[in-house]
Amino acid sequence: NVYGTASQQITVQPNTRYKITVWASGRNLRSEGALTIITDAEWKQKPISLPKGNFGWTEFSSSFTTGNVSSIDLRILSQDSGEVWLTGLTLHKQ
């Protein structure tokens, strides 16, 4: 079983653009998107998706716009085998 998830509700401003950034290192990730960061309750908005394979500490960032909501379900989702280390996860209004 390679599936795992962790999440936290974060207060945001409705219909606002945010930038999410994280530093990650990966080893033997079996597929593209083996680990993704999700920013909505329906798991459709995935601003960060890690690449397949091996990589040293790399900064990943992307922007997304909140819907008509006052909080988001910020979720880290693992869906395949491999090892990932994360640090410095930040969320900033743009």
Side-chain angles (χ1 to χ4, degrees):
N1 190 350
V2 295
Y3 173 84
T5 185
S7 71
Q8 181 175 349
Q9 290 291 313
I10 306 244
T11 301
V12 295
Q13 292 181 346
N15 303 307
T16 302
R17 192 158 180 82
Y18 284 85
K19 181 177 182 180
I20 187 167
T21 303
V22 67
W23 283 86
S25 180
R27 183 170 53 195
N28 301 323
L29 291 179
R30 198 163 87 182
S31 63
E32 295 292 326
L35 187 132
T36 56
I37 296 180
I38 299 169
T39 57
D40 67 321
E42 293 81 28
W43 298 20
K44 293 181 181 178
Q45 196 168 41
K46 300 175 181 178
I48 294 180
S49 180
L50 297 186
K52 166 183 186 175
N54 301 300
F55 53 92
W57 286 106
T58 305
E59 183 181 43
F60 296 90
S61 66
S62 184
S63 296
F64 67 95
T65 302
T66 60
N68 191 22
V69 296
S70 59
S71 69
I72 60 169
D73 181 38
L74 182 63
R75 180 174 300 275
I76 298 170
L77 175 63
S78 173
Q79 301 182 92
D80 208 342
S81 63
E83 296 178 55
V84 175
W85 296 267
L86 302 173
T87 192
L89 178 66
T90 59
L91 181 68
H92 295 283
K93 187 170 73 168
Q94 289 189 304

